[in-house]
Structure formats: structure tokens, C-alpha cells
């Protein structure tokens, strides 16, 4: 594998991460955060961790980001724009994140990370077979659960009609 | 374990399928029906229940694993399915009057109750922690919305929110417990856990913490001490038919799962849990009864009384003998009949601007409407455990089971509690029979409501006077735990 695609993905991830914290409009930040999460998911793919990549996309880029954007839509975005981006805690934040980076670099240099032995596991395939064969019944039950939550939400959120 | 979804398994899943399909039909039909034809939906739901009951009866003698052993069709599950279907049927019959009184949206109401019933069935028949959990969640989420159905009333919304928040945390705790059990055994399947335990594999601390979390989670669902605080607020806020449905169905389903967990999967460790369940039973019945004494709101009183009844039912779990389990299963039937009846009485007397939810509202009922006062008297006698009623037989078996197993302290506390309980049940009886009529009471003329009250009272008496067939059924259903 050439290094170039990997570098592109990492670069994109870092760039969008910086954009996430430096945008004035929180909605833009949210969209850049999605880009960051997708780049992380892609780098998981490069590491042959396909399950993690899928979870990253479904949970973070999917569910959690939808939640964040919903909350943003309910808040006054225009008001938030007037709040200064940087404040007095910047030095403290720099100190903490600098420490974290130092720790990561140190660990990497020590080569203390546990290497995964053995042939690559096609975890997605195994997971899919489990879900649709052995655990087919709970999987279908989950669909009922989703339907019920949907109906319950509509009941709670619906306005009372003229009676 | 492979090929978990087989066509022939779906046939054995028919009781649940009937309810699900009916629920979906209701939701699809509801928007297209003109306002004056909405009562049509009630008829469809009752037919769905009857179809499901028919399917359950057709499968009566079956005993087979379903869906790759994740689910089980056995007399135990079928017995509980019939209890749930009966509960739902009577809830519907009572609801027709209540819905026309309050003009609540009917389609969603019936559909959510049907889905909740499906969840309960899955809980009773699940042989895997995953199936049980998903069934529990289907039941719980439907219940949250049902409690909050009276959106114009603060109490209803408050009850729904409390139920939802506590219930959500509770689901998290149960799920955490399941994860810890999975971490210990590498499986969520009850039979495999049982195999591991009977081989005497060392039980780790992680396993114990997981089991403790499961106990806490299910204790919340059955409203056992110290997780009982939600029940009064939730019952008070919810529509009376829903309160009856939740107090009976949700409790029975959680007990069904609890029994399968502790008397089947964790059976080898039973001696170690027993002391804990004895304590839980004593505390639950005592706290429930003592708090019920001072209540003036009938729904709150019934909520505390249902906490006390959870305590009596826990005796069956604490005893763990065939005798005690039979008593417990019998008591479920009795409890369903009398508790649904008591909640139906509220609906019977409720009017547009009179809610009949205080025990004062029943003053002088006997003089004006002796038949309905007699029905209520039968339910109250049964709740107090006085012969000749179903409640008496159930209590007799439970207490005798405790004595038989040498748990004299537990039996003594239970008997003392029954005496305390008399005081608050008979306050209503005194109001009905010995007080002058305060306001003009006008029982509803809805024939489904009247029919269900008469049937409930009749069955409560019948099970008390001639309990043999029911006891035989209960014995077969409990054979799983021998």
C-alpha cells in the first residue's frame, strides 16, 4: 500500500478537526466534525478494522451527529455567533492537549502498543452472519422496538386535534 | 444454532404475530377512518386479541425451542401469554368507555397496548437475555407513551416523564448486567449459563455484580422495595385502564422473566440468593401496606397495594419449591382479575367532570347501585385475601409454601401484612356500605364495561370456590422448574 492515500486521509482529518473548532457558525463546525469522523473511519479501514469503521460511521457520523444538529437547530445559532471563540482558558487547554500529544508520541516511540497477531479477521462478515442467522430473532425484534418507539414519539409529540 | 429463522418457527410464533399484525393494521387504518367510525378500531383490536388467544390455545401442549433456542414455547410461556391476553382483553373492554369519555386518539392507544402485550409475551418466552431485554424494552417504551396519553393533564405528563427517565436508567442497568454476564460466560443464552453453573465453574465477582444489576433492574419493573417509588406517581397520572394494564401486565411479565432467570438459569446458586429474596419480599410487602394505609386517592392506594402484592408474589421466588411456584402462578391470575376489576370500577363511575378517583367518591354506592358495590366488594375481598375468593387461595398456597420450606418468619410477616391490608381495603367497603350517598353516582351504561366487571367478579369468585382446574394448569406451567 502506498503511503499517499493514508496521508491524504490523515491530512483531511486533521484539517477538518481544526476547522471544527475554529468556525464561528456551530452548524459549520458540526459538518466539519462529520468530515473528521469520516476520516477517522477511513483510517480504521486502512488498519483493517472494518467493524470499528462501520461503528464509527453509524454511531458517530450517523446517530450522534444527527442529535447534535437537531440540538443546534433548536438553539439560536445567530446568537451563538456573537460569543467570542477564544477565551482565557486557552493556555490551560494548550497545556493539556500538549501533554496528551506528548504522551501519545512517547508511547509510540516506546513501541508499547500491543500488536494484533494472526491473520486479519473479517469481522464484518462474521458479524453479519451472526446477526442474520443465530441472532436473527433479536434482530427482527429490534425492528419492532424501533416501530414502537416511532409510534410512541408521535403520540407524545402530536398536537391535540380539535375535539 | 444456525438457520435460526425457519418458516416453521414462525407458525409457533403465531400468537405474537397476530398482535403485531393487528397493531400495524390499526395504525394504517386510523388516518383513513372518519371520526364517527373510529370505534371500529376497538373491534379490530379485540378480534386480534381473540385470534392470538386462539393461536395460543392451539399450541397449548407444545414444548419446543424456537429461533435457534433463543425463544421457547413451553407451558410456562403459554400460561403467561394467556394471562397477558386476558389482561389486554379486559383492558380494551374497559377502555372503550374511557376513550369515548376523554376523546383520546384510539388507533395509537390500542396499537401501543397490543405492542406492549407482544413485548410481555417475548419476555415470558425468551430463553436468551437478549430476547428478554428486547421484549422488556418494547413493553416499556409503549408503556411510557400510554402513561402520558392524557396530555392535557399535568399529572399524566409528570407520571410519563418520571416513568420514562427512571425506566431508561433502569434499562441501562439491566443491559449492563447482561453485558457483565456475557463477559463471564461468553453467552447470553440461559441454558448455556445453567450448564456453566451446574458444572460448578467458579463464579467470578463480575458475574455476581451482573446478577445484582439484573435483580435491581427487575425489582424496579415489579415495583419492589427499594425501587417502588415510581409506581404511585405513574399510576396516579395514567388513565385508569392503562394503570390497570401496567400494574398487572408489566408486573407479570417481569416476574415471568425473573422466575426463568433465577429458578431456571441461576438455579444452582439458588441457596445463595434465597435469603436476599426473603428480605426483599418482607420489605416490599411491609412498605407497600404501611404506605397504602394513609392514601385517599384510590389510584395511589391501588399502587401501594400493588407494591404489597409484588411482595406476596416474591414469596414464590424466595421459596422456589413447586408448591410455592404454583401458588405464585395462581396468584398472578387472581391478581390480574382483582386488580383489573378495581381499576375498572374507577372507569365505571367516572364522568365528564367527575373522576371517581378518591375513595370518598364511593360513598353510598351500595344503596344506590348494589350490583356494582357487590362487584367492588368481591375485588376488595380478593385483594385482602378473604375466602371465598381467588386472592385467598393464592395467598394460602404462597404462605403454605413458605411454611413448608421452613421460612416461618416470612410466613408470619406475610400474615401480619394481610391483616394490615384489611384496614385500607375495608375503608372503601365502609364508604360503600355504611355511608350516606354524598353525590349522585351514575355508573356508565357501556355494556362492554359492565360485562367485563361482571366477568371479572365472576372469575374471581369462581377461582376461589373451584380452583382445581386452574391449580392443575398452574402445576403444568410450573413443571419447568422441577
Amino acid at each position: 500500500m502506498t503511503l499517499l492515500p493514508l496521508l491524504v486521509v490523515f491530512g483531511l482529518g486533521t484539517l477538518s478537526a481544526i476547522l471544527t473548532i475554529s468556525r464561528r457558525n456551530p452548524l459549520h463546525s458540526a459538518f466539519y466534525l462529520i468530515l473528521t469522523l469520516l476520516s477517522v473511519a477511513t483510517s480504521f479501514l486502512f488498519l483493517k478494522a472494518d467493524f470499528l469503521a462501520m461503528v464509527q460511521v453509524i454511531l458517530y457520523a450517523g446517530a450522534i451527529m444527527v442529535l447534535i444538529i437537531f440540538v443546534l437547530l433548536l438553539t439560536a445559532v445567530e446568537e451563538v455567533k456573537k460569543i467570542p471563540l477564544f477565551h482565557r482558558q486557552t493556555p490551560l487547554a494548550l497545556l493539556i492537549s500538549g501533554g496528551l500529544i506528548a504522551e501519545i508520541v512517547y508511547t509510540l516511540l516506546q513501541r508499547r502498543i500491543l500488536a494484533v497477531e494472526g491473520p486479519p479477521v473479517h469481522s464484518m462478515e462474521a458479524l453479519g452472519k451472526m446477526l442474520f442467522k443465530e441472532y436473527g430473532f433479536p434482530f427482527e425484534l429490534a425492528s419492532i422496538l424501533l416501530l414502537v418507539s416511532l409510534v410512541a414519539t408521535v403520540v407524545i409529540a402530536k398536537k391535540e386535534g380539535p375535539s | 444454532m444456525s438457520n435460526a429463522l425457519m418458516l416453521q418457527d414462525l407458525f409457533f410464533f403465531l400468537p405474537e404475530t397476530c398482535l403485531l399484525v393487528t397493531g400495524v393494521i390499526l395504525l394504517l387504518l386510523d388516518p383513513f377512518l372518519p371520526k364517527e367510525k373510529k370505534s371500529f378500531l376497538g373491534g379490530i383490536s379485540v378480534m386480534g386479541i381473540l385470534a392470538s388467544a386462539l393461536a395460543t390455545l392451539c399450541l397449548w401442549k407444545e414444548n419446543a425451542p424456537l429461533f435457534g433456542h433463543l425463544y421457547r414455547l413451553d407451558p410456562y410461556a403459554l400460561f403467561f401469554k394467556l394471562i397477558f391476553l386476558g389482561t389486554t382483553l379486559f383492558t380494551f373492554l374497559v377502555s372503550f368507555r374511557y376513550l369515548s369519555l376523554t376523546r383520546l386518539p384510539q388507533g395509537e392507544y390500542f396499537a401501543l397496548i397490543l405492542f406492549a402485550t407482544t413485548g410481555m409475551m417475548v419476555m415470558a418466552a425468551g430463553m436468551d437475555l437478549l430476547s428478554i431485554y428486547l421484549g422488556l424494552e418494547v413493553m416499556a417504551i409503549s408503556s411510557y407513551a400510554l402513561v402520558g396519553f392524557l396530555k392535557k393533564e399535568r399529572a399524566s405528563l409528570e407520571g410519563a416523564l418520571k416513568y420514562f427517565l427512571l425506566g431508561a436508567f433502569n434499562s441501562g442497568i439491566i443491559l449492563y448486567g447482561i453485558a457483565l454476564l456475557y463477559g463471564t460466560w461468553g453467552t447470553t443464552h440461559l441454558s448455556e449459563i445453567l450448564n456453566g453453573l451446574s458444572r460448578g465453574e467458579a463464579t467470578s465477582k463480575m458475574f455476581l455484580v451482573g446478577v445484582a444489576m439484573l435483580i435491581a433492574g427487575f425489582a424496579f419493573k415489579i415495583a419492589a422495595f427499594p425501587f417502588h417509588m415510581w409506581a404511585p406517581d405513574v399510576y396516579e397520572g395514567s388513565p385508569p385502564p392503562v394503570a390497570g394494564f401496567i400494574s398487572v401486565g408489566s408486573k407479570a411479565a417481569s416476574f415471568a422473566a425473573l422466575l426463568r432467570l433465577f429458578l431456571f438459569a441461576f438455579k444452582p446458586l439458588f441457596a445463595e440468593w434465597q435469603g436476599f429474596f426473603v428480605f426483599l419480599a418482607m420489605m416490599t410487602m411491609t412498605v407497600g401496606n404501611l404506605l397504602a394505609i394513609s392514601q385517599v386517592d384510590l389510584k395511589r392506594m391501588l399502587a401501594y397495594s400493588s407494591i404489597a402484592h409484588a411482595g406476596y408474589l416474591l414469596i414464590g421466588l424466595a421459596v422456589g419449591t413447586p408448591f410455592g411456584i404454583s401458588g405464585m402462578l395462581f396468584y398472578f391470575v387472581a391478581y390480574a382479575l382483582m386488580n383489573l376489576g378495581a381499576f375498572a370500577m374507577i372507569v365505571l363511575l367516572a364522568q365528564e367532570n367527575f373522576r371517581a378517583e378518591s375513595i370518598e367518591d364511593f360513598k353510598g354506592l351500595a344503596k344506590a347501585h348494589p350490583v356494582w358495590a357487590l362487584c367492588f366488594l368481591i375485588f376488595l375481598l380478593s385483594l385482602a385475601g378473604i375466602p371465598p375468593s381467588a386472592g385467598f387461595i393464592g395467598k394460602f398456597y404462597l404462605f403454605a409454601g413458605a411454611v413448608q420450606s421452613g421460612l416461618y418468619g416470612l410466613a408470619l410477616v406475610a400474615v401480619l401484612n394481610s391483616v394490615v391490608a384489611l384496614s385500607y381495603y375495608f375503608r372503601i367497603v365502609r364508604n360503600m356500605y355504611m355511608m350516606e350517598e354524598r353525590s349522585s353516582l351514575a355508573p356508565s351504561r357501556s355494556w362492554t364495561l359492565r360485562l367485563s366487571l361482571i366477568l371479572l367478579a365472576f372469575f374471581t369468585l369462581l377461582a376461589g370456590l373451584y380452583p382445581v382446574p386452574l391449580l392443575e394448569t398452574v402445576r403444568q406451567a410450573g413443571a419447568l422448574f422441577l
Side-chain angles (χ1 to χ4, degrees):
Chain A
M1 194 200 317
T2 53
L3 211 55
L4 188 64
L6 205 59
L7 282 179
V8 169
V9 170
F10 286 173
L12 200 64
T14 318
L15 189 69
S16 49
I18 294 171
L19 284 168
T20 305
I21 54 170
S22 61
R23 289 302 89 190
R24 237 166 208 295
N25 190 333
L27 211 54
H28 292 174
S29 290
F31 285 123
Y32 281 118
L33 185 57
I34 296 181
L35 199 60
T36 316
L37 294 169
L38 287 178
S39 333
V40 175
T42 321
S43 36
F44 279 142
L45 273 184
F46 279 119
L47 295 169
K48 296 215 169 68
D50 40 4
F51 174 66
L52 265 185
M54 283 317 289
V55 168
Q56 176 87 7
V57 172
I58 294 171
L59 278 186
Y60 283 93
I64 292 180
M65 284 317 295
V66 169
L67 201 67
I68 289 180
I69 290 172
F70 263 122
V71 171
L72 283 178
L73 290 177
L74 293 175
T75 51
V77 174
E78 293 303 314
E79 290 298 310
V80 177
K81 278 187 196 167
K82 290 173 194 154
I83 300 171
L85 268 177
F86 299 100
H87 43 72
R88 282 177 293 136
Q89 277 158 358
T90 312
L92 187 67
L94 277 178
L95 193 70
I96 292 175
S97 44
L100 192 65
I101 290 174
E103 193 186 343
I104 292 172
V105 169
Y106 177 76
T107 322
L108 283 174
L109 289 177
Q110 295 280 312
R111 294 176 186 279
R112 284 243 183 91
I113 296 176
L114 294 172
V116 182
E117 303 285 330
V121 188
H122 296 289
S123 48
M124 280 318 281
E125 200 185 325
L127 188 79
K129 276 188 179 150
M130 281 274 270
L131 261 187
F132 289 105
K133 277 189 157 173
E134 282 173 46
Y135 289 95
F137 175 65
F139 186 77
E140 295 292 330
L141 266 183
S143 70
I144 298 168
L145 181 59
L146 285 178
L147 173 70
V148 168
S149 338
L150 206 69
V151 176
T153 318
V154 170
V155 167
I156 292 291
K158 199 166 71 171
K159 265 189 193 150
E160 293 274 309
S163 55
Chain B
M1 272 291 244
S2 60
N3 288 337
L5 285 177
M6 305 256 288
L7 213 55
Q8 139 213 4
D9 284 358
L10 285 179
F11 172 69
F12 291 120
F13 197 60
L14 209 55
E16 289 86 340
T17 315
C18 284
L19 298 185
L20 286 175
V21 170
T22 316
V24 173
I25 291 177
L26 288 178
L27 290 176
L28 290 178
L29 211 58
D30 188 29
F32 299 104
L33 278 182
K35 265 230 151 54
E36 61 278 6
K37 288 205 177 141
K38 291 279 189 200
S39 56
F40 192 53
L41 296 170
I44 297 181
S45 352
V46 169
M47 284 199 305
I49 294 281
L50 293 179
S52 176
L54 188 70
T56 312
L57 288 175
C58 287
L59 297 170
W60 190 246
K61 293 283 171 197
E62 299 286 343
N63 196 342
L66 293 192
F67 307 120
H69 302 273
L70 295 179
Y71 205 67
R72 181 133 197 121
L73 193 77
D74 51 15
Y76 176 73
L78 287 166
F79 172 75
F80 270 102
K81 281 179 193 177
L82 275 191
I83 292 190
F84 301 144
L85 288 170
T87 307
T88 314
L89 181 66
F90 281 116
T91 306
F92 281 169
L93 292 180
V94 172
S95 296
F96 295 148
R97 157 73 183 160
Y98 192 77
L99 290 175
S100 67
L101 190 73
T102 47
R103 298 189 196 86
L104 291 173
Q106 304 203 3
E108 293 95 341
Y109 180 89
F110 291 126
L112 280 175
I113 290 186
L114 286 172
F115 289 141
T117 313
T118 318
M120 291 169 190
M121 289 181 160
V122 172
M123 282 175 79
M127 272 299 272
D128 190 285
L129 290 170
L130 219 52
S131 317
I132 293 177
Y133 173 75
L134 283 166
L136 182 131
E137 205 62 353
V138 169
M139 173 188 85
I141 288 186
S142 325
S143 318
Y144 305 147
L146 284 167
V147 170
F149 235 82
L150 297 167
K151 269 187 279 181
K152 283 174 191 151
E153 285 179 30
R154 281 184 69 94
S156 180
L157 292 176
E158 184 193 329
L161 194 64
K162 277 185 182 162
Y163 197 24
F164 171 67
L165 287 178
L166 290 174
F169 276 114
N170 180 60
S171 296
I173 288 171
I174 291 184
L175 208 51
Y176 210 151
I178 292 175
L180 289 178
L181 253 60
Y182 182 71
T184 314
W185 300 105
T187 177
T188 51
H189 193 263
L190 297 189
S191 300
E192 285 170 29
I193 293 178
L194 175 67
N195 286 339
L197 280 174
S198 7
R199 275 198 306 271
E201 282 172 23
T203 49
S204 62
K205 291 218 168 59
M206 188 157 82
F207 173 71
L208 294 181
V209 174
V211 171
M213 285 183 149
L214 282 183
I215 294 180
F218 282 104
F220 171 87
K221 283 281 163 211
I222 60 174
F225 174 85
F227 307 103
H228 60 276
M229 268 84 128
W230 59 274
D233 286 334
V234 169
Y235 293 5
E236 190 190 6
S238 45
V242 169
F245 176 71
I246 291 176
S247 73
V248 174
S250 163
K251 197 165 285 203
S254 309
F255 261 111
L258 204 57
L259 241 69
R260 224 188 251 276
L261 282 177
F262 281 88
L263 294 181
F264 176 74
F266 308 149
K267 179 102 189 211
L269 293 176
F270 179 70
E272 285 161 53
W273 310 124
Q274 191 172 28
F276 180 74
F277 280 121
V278 169
F279 171 75
L280 203 64
M282 282 183 182
M283 286 309 289
T284 306
M285 62 178 95
T286 311
V287 167
N289 277 324
L290 289 182
L291 289 174
I293 294 174
S294 58
Q295 301 302 323
V296 283
D297 185 293
L298 183 57
K299 278 202 279 186
R300 280 189 92 82
M301 198 197 88
L302 285 173
Y304 283 113
S305 116
S306 88
I307 294 171
H309 282 285
Y312 300 139
L313 286 162
L314 275 170
I315 295 177
L317 193 57
V319 170
T321 58
F323 204 68
I325 294 167
S326 299
M328 190 177 178
L329 296 181
F330 187 94
Y331 206 66
F332 277 125
V333 180
Y335 175 72
L337 292 170
M338 59 207 189
N339 225 37
L340 286 173
F343 278 106
M345 283 304 296
I346 300 177
V347 183
L348 181 80
L349 293 186
Q351 287 163 43
E352 194 98 32
N353 37 25
F354 174 70
R355 292 153 40 114
E357 285 176 7
S358 157
I359 58 170
E360 303 287 312
D361 294 340
F362 288 84
K363 275 185 180 169
L365 184 67
K367 211 165 279 174
H369 306 283
V371 179
W372 306 121
L374 184 67
C375 282
F376 204 4
L377 179 67
I378 292 171
F379 300 139
L380 290 170
L381 283 178
S382 183
L383 281 165
I386 290 173
S389 61
F392 167 71
I393 306 281
K395 263 194 186 141
F396 177 78
Y397 269 78
L398 280 172
F399 297 179
V403 171
Q404 201 190 35
S405 306
L407 300 168
Y408 300 112
L410 179 61
L412 185 70
V413 171
V415 170
L416 287 179
N417 261 293
S418 307
V419 178
V420 173
L422 277 179
S423 71
Y424 59 87
Y425 292 128
F426 274 74
R427 229 169 53 211
I428 305 176
V429 176
R430 192 196 57 182
N431 274 351
M432 287 196 306
Y433 281 89
M434 300 182 159
M435 294 288 194
E436 284 304 309
E437 194 174 348
R438 199 178 57 169
S439 57
S440 57
L441 295 166
S444 149
R445 298 203 164 276
S446 153
W447 69 268
T448 54
L449 177 56
R450 292 184 162 204
L451 176 75
S452 49
L453 269 171
I454 301 245
L455 280 180
L456 285 168
F458 173 72
F459 284 129
T460 309
L461 272 186
L462 185 71
L465 290 170
Y466 184 55
V468 181
L470 186 55
L471 282 172
E472 183 54 29
T473 319
V474 154
R475 205 184 50 73
Q476 286 170 5
L480 166 75
F481 303 110
L482 293 182

